[in-house]
């Protein structure tokens, strides 16, 4: 979770530092005022914490180097003094197999009264920790539960003889804001609680009134649900085959009137259990929605059932050619009129399906995909200017302003972009921005800052993955499935 932005007071403090430097020709790092250095340290920690801990394609996470705060505190005596005097540098506690008790003890002491961000990585990809050592670490962090600000837990198997997650979450955490739980297996479970009323939380039963972000992955959605009343962001990651009842799913996503961001991964409901009734799930404040499913019926079923009049952004992953046929059959262009941003990843669609998309999602201003410009049938359609529809010719996405693709530096992507930009401008529907994704290695090997796609179009290259939701201000290293 992000701390307060340490840059807020930096200009004034840097001005003071500049004055000191001007009066002292032998300027060194030791002459930097401790207030400035402390802010720089905090800024550096935030930058490092926002980088996934060298995640692999399978999603396992490792920390191969010491935390930033430890490194700077071992640089020199002056750095150490400044680092130890800033409790916000020591708020992150990472428990994993090589972790030492001394590190946790020191972080708890040095963090003072600040909120703590706890991360526990004990999944099957990680080296395992013996129960005695894990128990000692639990004994250290459990008394600090009143200070927990975020809690991320990855556990391979919740065992009845050592129920680590149950023990961890059977405590009082009134300040908890962010919760991410991944449980891959349990050796004994009470099946009766899977579809129990969401009014009765499985964990943190004393309540978590500030909990606004929740991710439940694996069996967590069935067996380890917290209080959901104040949620703003909810990730439901169904990575194990144990579907919920439709009524339970509906109660989960409608529990919080503040829900603005919903991410659904996997076949959370058996396709046979979908009632097929439109608008049965009302989410008045939902702004962003992500869906990924192995069963193609899920995409259309969710989009038909959810009534979200404020929905602005839709992300679909692994979408195939006929997965949205139910939407096309409905032929209602007003249903998703509020959607402005459309993001496709790992999909396979023909030009015909794009034509349906144009008609169903007519208000799109921003479109993004991980595929290259040449690979996408969309660019071919846009380059035609007009598309033949049931009622004659029409302009696809007349409000479209921004396109984002991966860029093939060895192909003819640049030429295709120039054609599309010119056609849109000539038709009176100009683009404003082209975003092109390149890997960091490509950027280093073949530097290319931009190219001319027309005087009205700004072309930008970028390497970072898109943040979801777009306004997220905290670190989310577990968002690896999309």
């Amino acid at each position: 979770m992000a701390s307060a932005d340490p840059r807020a007071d930096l200009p004034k403090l840097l001005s003071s530092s500049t004055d000191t430097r001007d009066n002292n020709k032998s300027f060194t790092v030791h002459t930097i005022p401790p207030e400035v250095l402390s802010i720089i340290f905090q800024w550096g920690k935030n930058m490092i914490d926002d980088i996934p801990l060298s995640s692999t394609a399978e999603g396992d996470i490792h920390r191969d180097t010491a935390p930033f705060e430890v490194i700077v505190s071992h640089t020199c005596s002056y750095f150490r003094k400044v680092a130890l005097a800033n409790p916000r540098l020591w708020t992150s506690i990472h428990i994993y197999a090589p972790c030492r008790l001394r590190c946790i003890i020191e972080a708890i002491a040095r963090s003072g009264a600040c909120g703590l961000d706890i991360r526990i990585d004990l999944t099957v990809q990680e080296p395992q920790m013996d129960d005695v050592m894990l128990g000692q670490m639990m004994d250290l962090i459990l008394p600090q539960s009143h200070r927990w600000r975020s809690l991320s837990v990855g556990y391979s198997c919740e065992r009845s003889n050592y129920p680590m997650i149950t023990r961890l979450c059977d405590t009082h955490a009134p300040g908890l804001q962010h919760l991410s739980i991944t449980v891959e297996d349990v050796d004994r479970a009470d099946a009766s609680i899977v579809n129990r009323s969401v009014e009765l939380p499985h964990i943190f039963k004393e309540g978590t009134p500030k909990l606004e972000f929740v991710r439940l992955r694996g069996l967590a959605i069935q067996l380890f649900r917290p209080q959901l009343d104040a949620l703003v962001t909810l990730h439901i990651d169904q990575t194990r085959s144990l579907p919920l009842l439709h009524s339970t799913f509906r109660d989960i996503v409608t529990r919080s009137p503040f829900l603005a961001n919903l991410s659904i991964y996997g076949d959370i409901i058996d396709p046979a259990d979908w009632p097929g009734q439109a608008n049965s799930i009302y989410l008045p404040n939902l702004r962003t929605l992500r869906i990924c499913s192995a069963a193609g019926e899920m995409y259309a079923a969710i989009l038909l059932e959810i009534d979200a009049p404020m929905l602005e952004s839709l992300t679909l992953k692994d979408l195939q050619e006929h997965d949205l046929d139910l939407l096309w059959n409905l032929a209602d262009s007003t249903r998703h009129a509020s959607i402005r941003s459309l993001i496709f990843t790992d999909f396979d669609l023909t030009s015909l399906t794009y034509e349906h998309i144009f008609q169903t999602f007519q208000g799109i201003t921003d479109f993004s995909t991980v595929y290259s410009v040449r690979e996408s049938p969309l660019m071919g359609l846009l380059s035609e200017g007009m598309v033949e529809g049931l009622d004659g010719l029409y302009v696809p996405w007349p409000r479209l302003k921004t396109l984002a693709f991966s860029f093939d530096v060895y192909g003819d992507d640049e030429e295709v972009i120039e054609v599309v930009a010119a056609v849109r401008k000539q038709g009176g529907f100009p683009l404003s921005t082209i975003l092109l994704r390149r890997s960091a290695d490509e950027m280093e090997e073949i530097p290319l800052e931009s190219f001319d796609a027309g005087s009205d179009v700004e072309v930008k290259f970028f390497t970072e993955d898109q943040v979801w939701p777009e306004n997220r201000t905290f670190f989310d290293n577990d968002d690896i499935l999309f």
Side-chain angles (χ1 to χ4, degrees):
M1 175 178 170
S3 305
D5 191 343
R7 293 169 290 180
D9 298 325
L10 198 54
K12 180 172 63 176
L13 292 173
L14 284 176
S15 176
S16 172
S17 176
T18 302
D19 294 341
T20 301
R21 183 181 61 189
D22 290 341
N23 294 328
N24 188 352
K25 300 302 182 181
S26 59
F27 175 79
T28 69
V29 293
H30 297 85
T31 62
I32 301 176
E35 298 88 350
V36 174
L37 194 58
S38 182
I39 291 175
I40 293 173
F41 287 170
Q42 185 66 41
W43 195 359
K45 172 180 167 56
N46 288 354
M47 291 173 63
I48 297 300
D49 285 352
D50 201 21
I51 302 173
L53 311 181
S54 63
S55 301
T56 69
E58 290 75 25
D60 54 318
I61 296 176
H62 304 276
R63 184 184 290 279
D64 298 322
T65 59
F68 176 86
E69 57 272 24
V70 173
I71 293 175
V72 297
S73 68
H74 285 74
T75 302
C76 66
S77 59
Y78 181 51
F79 277 25
R80 181 172 181 81
K81 179 180 178 180
V82 173
L84 293 180
N86 184 353
R88 290 184 298 175
L89 279 181
W90 306 94
T91 57
S92 300
I93 296 178
H94 186 195
I95 296 176
Y96 60 125
C99 180
R100 292 177 293 178
L101 282 173
R102 179 175 59 81
C103 296
I104 300 176
I105 294 171
E106 290 176 349
I108 291 174
R110 294 170 180 175
S111 59
C114 293
L116 296 175
D117 302 314
I118 310 293
R119 183 176 184 87
I120 303 174
D121 289 323
L122 298 173
T123 57
V124 292
Q125 292 89 1
E126 293 286 338
Q128 295 303 293
M129 180 183 297
D130 67 79
D131 292 348
V132 174
M133 178 63 69
L134 181 58
Q136 292 175 342
M137 293 185 178
M138 293 298 102
D139 290 341
L140 290 174
I141 64 173
L142 285 172
Q144 307 297 323
S145 64
H146 63 285
R147 294 171 56 197
W148 292 356
R149 180 172 52 188
S150 69
L151 174 64
S152 173
V153 183
Y155 201 32
S156 56
C157 181
E158 178 80 342
R159 293 174 286 123
S160 56
N161 64 338
Y162 195 90
M164 189 270 288
I165 294 180
T166 301
R167 182 188 178 197
L168 193 68
C169 299
D170 188 22
T171 186
H172 187 44
L176 189 64
Q177 299 175 31
H178 297 186
L179 175 65
S180 179
I181 300 180
T182 299
V183 186
E184 298 174 355
D185 202 359
V186 295
D187 66 0
R188 186 181 302 171
D190 181 0
S192 67
I193 71 172
V194 172
N195 291 291
R196 190 173 74 183
S197 170
V198 299
E199 296 181 7
L200 304 174
H202 300 149
I203 58 176
F204 295 115
K205 296 178 182 179
E206 293 187 45
T208 46
K210 295 184 178 181
L211 188 60
E212 61 179 33
F213 174 98
V214 167
R215 171 182 290 103
L216 300 174
R217 179 175 295 164
L219 296 177
I221 185 66
Q222 290 85 3
L223 304 175
F224 301 98
R225 291 195 297 270
Q227 180 183 357
L228 305 172
D229 300 61
L231 287 192
V232 175
T233 300
L234 173 62
H235 292 251
I236 300 175
D237 295 342
Q238 177 73 340
T239 58
R240 298 299 306 273
S241 181
L242 183 60
L244 295 171
L245 292 176
H246 175 270
S247 57
T248 304
F249 170 76
R250 180 196 61 217
D251 292 346
I252 289 173
V253 299
T254 59
R255 182 63 183 171
S256 170
F258 312 108
L259 186 65
N261 312 299
L262 176 60
S263 180
I264 302 171
Y265 181 91
D267 302 328
I268 189 66
I269 300 171
D270 190 319
D273 193 34
W274 284 101
Q277 179 183 355
N279 301 330
S280 64
I281 299 176
Y282 182 55
L283 301 177
N285 289 305
L286 190 68
R287 298 298 198 278
T288 64
L289 174 63
R290 297 196 306 187
I291 308 172
C292 177
S293 173
E297 300 92 338
M298 286 282 291
Y299 296 97
I302 292 174
L303 290 173
L304 284 172
E305 281 215 46
I306 289 181
D307 180 10
M310 304 297 289
L311 186 62
E312 299 170 347
S313 175
L314 175 64
T315 300
L316 301 177
K317 181 180 180 181
D318 291 344
L319 187 69
Q320 301 300 307
E321 179 69 10
H322 296 289
D323 289 347
L324 294 177
D325 283 356
L326 285 176
L327 279 185
W328 316 150
N329 296 336
L330 189 64
D332 183 2
S333 62
T334 65
R335 179 174 182 81
H336 300 105
S338 62
I339 296 179
R340 296 291 178 264
S341 174
L342 194 59
I343 302 168
F344 286 169
T345 61
D346 300 337
F347 62 101
D348 186 13
L349 305 177
T350 64
S351 296
L352 178 60
T353 297
Y354 269 109
E355 292 175 18
H356 288 301
I357 292 172
F358 293 150
Q359 297 284 4
T360 303
F361 306 102
Q362 295 186 4
I364 299 301
T365 61
D366 301 85
F367 177 80
S368 175
T369 174
V370 296
Y371 289 152
S372 70
V373 173
R374 173 57 68 182
E375 290 176 314
S376 174
L378 172 65
M379 296 300 277
L381 292 170
L382 293 180
S383 67
E384 296 176 7
M386 305 282 282
V387 175
E388 182 72 37
L390 296 177
D391 300 322
L393 292 173
Y394 68 93
V395 176
W397 290 340
R399 300 179 183 176
L400 184 65
K401 293 298 180 184
T402 302
L403 287 171
F405 290 92
S406 293
F407 184 71
D408 181 5
V409 70
Y410 300 107
D412 57 354
D413 287 3
E414 183 174 344
E415 178 182 343
V416 175
I417 291 170
E418 291 172 353
V419 170
V420 170
V423 169
R424 296 289 292 194
K425 181 177 181 179
Q426 183 178 3
F429 305 96
L431 300 173
S432 61
T433 307
I434 303 289
L435 303 176
L436 300 174
R437 181 185 291 103
R438 300 181 64 197
S439 69
D441 291 340
E442 287 179 343
M443 294 283 277
E444 184 175 346
E445 293 175 5
I446 308 176
L448 186 62
E449 295 183 0
S450 184
F451 58 81
D452 184 13
S455 59
D456 300 326
V457 181
E458 183 179 13
V459 179
K460 298 179 181 178
F461 291 98
F462 68 100
T463 58
E464 301 87 359
D465 290 332
Q466 292 175 312
V467 171
W468 190 93
E470 186 178 7
N471 60 350
R472 174 165 64 84
T473 58
F474 52 89
F475 311 134
D476 185 12
N477 289 327
D478 295 317
D479 192 18
I480 57 177
L481 298 181
F482 280 83

